[in-house]
């Protein structure tokens, strides 16, 4: 045996599983296709959002939350509808969903602190939903941001893994591409594949695939923590569901190119059951990174509630396709409405005042004040005047941003960014003026304006995420800014079906002995614990919870 357990994938879920095994005195091997600079995987690049329920951070900001409300929100968002038949795809997904919400409302916060993860005082209100009491969306703010952003979540685990490697308890096998699982008597006993040529590419950048040898490793069990398919656009299109309409002809990419889903198919060939592959999570507020690291590198705008959102033909998007409300409903609207589905973009129109207060960019490298844990810098950038430096850089250098002092000039610049002019200046002006007419009172019949006022009632948003209501054409709030938005590929919500111990299941519903899965490869647990929608802050949390589960189960059962 080369180790007690082989973990394929050095991202967050794999590192958490390794941490649990090491704490139990087990020997671990981590097999990773990329070089050591990529330890931590996608989590390193994330904003570091974590879903928590009834936390001290919520209570300090006046938010009242509890398990029952969170579980109602989760079920309404997940919409699990594959629960019938002899082997339903959602059977384990729903059980994982409840177990995760119990974790988020229970020991998750203390467990995070014990693992060296600390939280900022900020609690964001993500995915506010579609306007129904029981349906998609967070009834209250639950998006807790880790100190250090994604690095503050992944690096404590990466540091302990590096320390364990120094003492020989953990062995890294970098530049090893797994091509098959070793099976003996129906049990997973190891992995085999190609040794790839050394490559010193920076974290996240593409690396070579030059084969220089072969390898084989054996252990008592194998954990797959290899992520989803978001880096492979053709694979995304292959599994794109009919309910979301036509996939875009052109997309940008929110994950490195190595997130290609290879291991999912390899596990299926060995007998693992893949479920819910048509469920996916892609954002519609993507912009091209002016300083890219991986191919078609995308950054997501995390908008506050105030931007005016127009489709490619310049028509205002209807509720619930509003900023920060319902990601999948917005994606479905943009891809199923016949006369706009042929276009791959939409638009934000904002004022400088809105951009300064409400635009945040997803990613550790776009939030260096929090990533570097500089408290005074955070106060200045988040609560002071002016736009955060990363946002201002995109405004000045981003290919999707245009700025003007008047609306007609802005629309002309927006039209110049597309192959042919699609926006009618008169139509855009009429809609801007109609919205502006709703801004003079603390009440409104406009759903988006009502949402802005609702947001301002929450202390956290009033301080840092929602600008005072104002007219877009107010010259004191200018200049005007137009932002072209693209579909940004991100997460797979389905994957290998696992039981509550993290064991991969076969087509007949029985465990595939010796094989476990965690993180996105397992649909974050059970093959799809999010169902059709995520409440945000739940992807990192799903990696933590599923990696912890697999590691603990193996530590106890080997």
């Amino acid at each position: 045996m080369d180790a007690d357990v082989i973990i394929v994938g050095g991202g967050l879920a794999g590192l958490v599983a390794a941490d649990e095994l090491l704490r139990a005195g087990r020997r671990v091997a981590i097999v990773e296709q990329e070089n050591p600079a990529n330890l931590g995987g996608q989590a390193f690049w994330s904003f570091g959002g974590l879903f928590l329920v009834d936390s001290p951070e919520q209570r300090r900001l006046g938010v009242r939350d509890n398990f029952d409300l969170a579980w109602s929100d989760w079920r309404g968002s997940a919409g699990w509808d594959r629960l019938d038949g002899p082997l339903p795809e959602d059977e384990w997904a729903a059980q994982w969903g409840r177990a995760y919400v119990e974790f988020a409302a229970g020991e998750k916060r203390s467990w995070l602190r014990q693992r060296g993860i600390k939280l900022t005082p900020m609690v964001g209100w993500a995915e506010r939903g579609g306007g129904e009491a029981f349906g998609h969306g967070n009834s209250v703010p639950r998006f807790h941001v880790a100190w250090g952003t994604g690095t503050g979540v992944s690096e404590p685990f990466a540091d302990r893994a590096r320390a364990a490697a120094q003492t020989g308890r953990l062995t890294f096998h970098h530049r090893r591409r797994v091509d098959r699982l070793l099976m003996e008597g129906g049990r997973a006993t190891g992995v085999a594949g190609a040794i790839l040529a050394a490559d010193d590419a920076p974290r996240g950048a593409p690396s070579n695939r030059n084969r220089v040898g072969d390898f084989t490793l054996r252990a008592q069990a194998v954990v797959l923590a290899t992520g989803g398919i978001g880096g492979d656009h053709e694979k995304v299109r292959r599994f794109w569901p009919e309910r979301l309409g036509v996939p875009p002809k052109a997309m940008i990419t929110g994950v490195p190119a190595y997130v290609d889903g290879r291991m999912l198919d390899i596990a299926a060939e060995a007998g693992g059951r893949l479920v819910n592959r048509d469920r996916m999570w892609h954002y519609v507020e993507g912009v091209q990174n002016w300083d890219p690291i991986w191919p078609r590198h995308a950054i997501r705008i995390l908008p506050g509630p105030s931007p005016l959102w127009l489709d490619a033909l310049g028509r205002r998007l209807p509720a619930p396709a509003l900023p920060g409300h319902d990601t999948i409903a917005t994606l479905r609207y943009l891809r199923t409405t016949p006369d706009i589905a042929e276009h791959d973009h939409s638009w934000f129109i904002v004022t400088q005042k809105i951009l300064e207060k409400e635009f945040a960019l997803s990613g550790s490298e776009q939030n260096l004040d929090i990533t570097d844990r500089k408290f005074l810098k955070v106060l200045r950038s988040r609560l002071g005047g002016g736009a955060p430096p990363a946002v201002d850089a995109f405004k000045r250098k981003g290919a999707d941003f245009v700025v003007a002092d008047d609306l007609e000039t802005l629309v002309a610049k927006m039209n110049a960014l597309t192959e042919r002019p699609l926006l009618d200046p008169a139509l855009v002006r009429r809609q801007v003026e109609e919205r502006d007419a709703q801004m003079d009172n603390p009440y409104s019949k406009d759903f988006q304006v009502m949402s802005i006022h609702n947001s301002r009632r929450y202390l956290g948003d009033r301080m840092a995420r929602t600008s005072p209501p104002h007219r877009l054409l107010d010259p004191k709030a200018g200049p005007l800014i137009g932002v072209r938005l693209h579909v940004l590929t991100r997460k797979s919500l389905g994957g290998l079906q696992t039981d509550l111990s993290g064991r991969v299941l076969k087509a007949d519903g029985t465990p595939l002995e010796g094989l476990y899965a965690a993180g996105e490869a397992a649909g974050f647990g059970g093959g799809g614990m999010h169902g059709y929608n995520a409440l945000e802050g739940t992807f990192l949390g799903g990696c933590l919870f599923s990696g912890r589960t697999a590691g603990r189960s193996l530590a106890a059962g080997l």
Side-chain angles (χ1 to χ4, degrees), residues 247-261:
K249 297 183 292 293
M251 297 179 281
I252 53 179
T253 314
V255 294
Y258 59 72
V259 185
D260 58 10

Side-chain angles (χ1 to χ4, degrees), residues 9-11 30-35 38 173-177:
I30 292 181
V31 181
E32 170 56 56
Q33 177 178 258
E34 303 304 318
N35 65 27
N38 287 275
H173 298 271
H174 288 289
R175 301 297 289 158
R176 302 299 194 268
R177 185 188 68 205

Side-chain angles (χ1 to χ4, degrees), residues 52-248:
L52 290 165
V53 178
D54 192 26
S55 70
E57 289 76 17
Q58 286 174 299
R59 294 193 293 270
R60 278 195 291 269
L61 291 168
V63 176
R64 293 189 291 273
D65 199 8
N66 57 67
F67 168 80
D68 289 335
L69 182 61
W71 177 230
S72 175
D73 286 348
W74 193 287
R75 285 184 295 128
S77 294
W80 294 298
D81 57 5
R82 297 168 183 173
L83 294 165
D84 298 325
L87 293 168
E89 293 189 53
D90 282 336
E91 176 186 5
W92 289 101
Q95 294 182 56
W96 269 88
R98 183 177 178 91
Y100 177 68
V101 177
E102 289 173 346
F103 178 58
E107 65 173 309
K108 181 179 179 181
R109 187 176 182 278
S110 62
W111 182 84
L112 290 171
R113 292 183 68 84
Q114 291 166 9
R115 267 62 182 174
I117 299 168
K118 298 180 180 179
L119 304 175
T120 70
M122 298 186 296
V123 183
W125 196 354
E127 287 296 300
R128 305 179 188 209
E132 298 175 329
F134 185 81
H136 174 54
N138 286 294
S139 297
V140 298
R142 298 188 176 111
F143 189 86
H144 298 65
V145 179
W147 273 117
T149 60
T151 72
V153 179
S154 65
E155 282 301 286
F157 294 100
D159 287 343
R160 286 194 292 277
R162 296 183 188 107
Q166 293 293 318
T167 63
R169 296 181 299 133
L170 181 148
T171 305
F172 285 114
H173 298 271
H174 288 289
R175 301 297 289 158
R176 302 299 194 268
R177 185 188 68 205
V178 174
D179 293 328
R180 62 189 177 95
L181 291 168
L182 302 180
M183 305 295 296
E184 296 179 12
R187 180 182 183 88
T189 58
V191 296
I195 301 172
L196 302 178
D199 196 314
D200 61 357
R203 180 189 288 271
S207 62
N208 75 69
R209 294 293 180 263
N210 300 328
R211 186 180 195 134
V212 296
D214 300 294
F215 77 96
T216 299
L217 294 170
R218 297 185 182 277
Q220 295 184 56
V222 177
V223 179
L224 303 181
T226 51
I229 66 172
D232 186 335
H233 288 190
E234 290 310 308
K235 198 166 286 186
V236 168
R237 291 188 180 94
R238 187 191 316 165
F239 294 108
W240 190 277
E242 185 178 349
R243 66 180 177 276
L244 293 182
V246 182

Side-chain angles (χ1 to χ4, degrees), residues 522-540:
F524 303 93
M529 76 171 190
H530 293 92
Y532 288 96
N533 290 284
L535 289 175
E536 293 288 24
T538 56
F539 297 130
L540 291 183

Side-chain angles (χ1 to χ4, degrees), residues 137-463:
N138 286 294
S139 297
V140 298
R142 298 188 176 111
F143 189 86
H144 298 65
V145 179
W147 273 117
T149 60
T151 72
V153 179
S154 65
E155 282 301 286
F157 294 100
D159 287 343
R160 286 194 292 277
R162 296 183 188 107
Q166 293 293 318
T167 63
R169 296 181 299 133
L170 181 148
T171 305
F172 285 114
H173 298 271
H174 288 289
R175 301 297 289 158
R176 302 299 194 268
R177 185 188 68 205
V178 174
D179 293 328
R180 62 189 177 95
L181 291 168
L182 302 180
M183 305 295 296
E184 296 179 12
R187 180 182 183 88
T189 58
V191 296
I195 301 172
L196 302 178
D199 196 314
D200 61 357
R203 180 189 288 271
S207 62
N208 75 69
R209 294 293 180 263
N210 300 328
R211 186 180 195 134
V212 296
D214 300 294
F215 77 96
T216 299
L217 294 170
R218 297 185 182 277
Q220 295 184 56
V222 177
V223 179
L224 303 181
T226 51
I229 66 172
D232 186 335
H233 288 190
E234 290 310 308
K235 198 166 286 186
V236 168
R237 291 188 180 94
R238 187 191 316 165
F239 294 108
W240 190 277
E242 185 178 349
R243 66 180 177 276
L244 293 182
V246 182
K249 297 183 292 293
M251 297 179 281
I252 53 179
T253 314
V255 294
Y258 59 72
V259 185
D260 58 10
R262 282 184 72 253
M263 205 65 223
L264 296 174
D265 296 322
I266 292 169
E269 290 173 6
R273 186 187 186 202
L274 288 169
V275 296
N276 298 316
R277 300 201 76 178
D278 62 322
R279 294 180 185 166
M280 50 187 67
W281 188 258
H282 307 306
Y283 294 109
V284 284
E285 311 101 330
V287 292
Q288 301 169 82
N289 193 345
W290 62 270
D291 187 19
I293 297 170
W294 55 77
R296 293 175 286 190
H297 189 167
I299 297 295
R300 183 202 173 198
I301 296 173
L302 283 71
S306 302
L308 181 68
W309 204 338
L310 304 178
D311 66 26
L313 301 180
R315 301 170 304 197
R316 192 176 176 191
L317 271 59
L322 300 174
H325 275 260
D326 194 327
T327 293
I328 294 300
T330 307
L331 178 62
R332 182 170 55 247
Y333 178 81
L334 292 173
R335 304 310 311 158
T336 60
T337 303
D339 57 352
I340 58 172
E342 65 179 282
H343 306 292
D344 295 336
H345 68 280
S346 60
W347 295 97
F348 276 165
I349 293 180
V350 298
T351 63
Q352 176 70 20
K353 192 173 181 179
I354 292 172
L355 178 132
E356 291 177 359
K357 188 97 169 184
E358 299 195 12
F359 269 30
L361 300 173
S362 181
S364 56
E365 80 279 23
Q366 305 298 333
N367 297 275
L368 292 179
D369 52 346
I370 306 175
T371 300
D372 295 339
R373 309 184 195 204
K374 304 293 186 183
F375 184 71
L376 293 179
K377 191 175 180 181
V378 171
L379 289 179
R380 287 195 296 269
S381 64
R382 308 285 161 166
L383 302 180
V391 173
D392 185 65
F394 267 80
K395 174 191 165 187
R396 291 182 290 107
K397 303 177 184 181
D400 297 307
F401 287 69
V402 293
V403 183
D405 290 324
D406 65 87
L407 189 59
E408 280 67 32
T409 302
L410 184 78
V411 173
K413 289 184 174 183
M414 292 163 70
N415 273 329
L417 292 186
T418 54
E419 291 184 0
R420 54 192 176 92
L422 300 173
L423 304 175
D424 178 357
L427 173 62
V428 174
R429 173 167 285 279
R430 176 172 65 79
Q431 292 172 110
V432 168
E433 290 177 344
E434 288 172 350
R435 177 194 182 278
D436 279 2
Q438 296 288 311
M439 304 306 294
D440 289 339
N441 295 288
Y443 36 81
S444 172
K445 70 177 183 179
D446 184 285
F447 190 91
Q448 183 180 8
V449 177
M450 287 190 281
S451 177
I452 295 169
H453 290 305
N454 193 35
S455 181
R456 292 280 296 177
R457 294 177 62 198
Y458 167 48
L459 177 61
D461 275 0
R462 187 166 70 250
M463 291 174 60

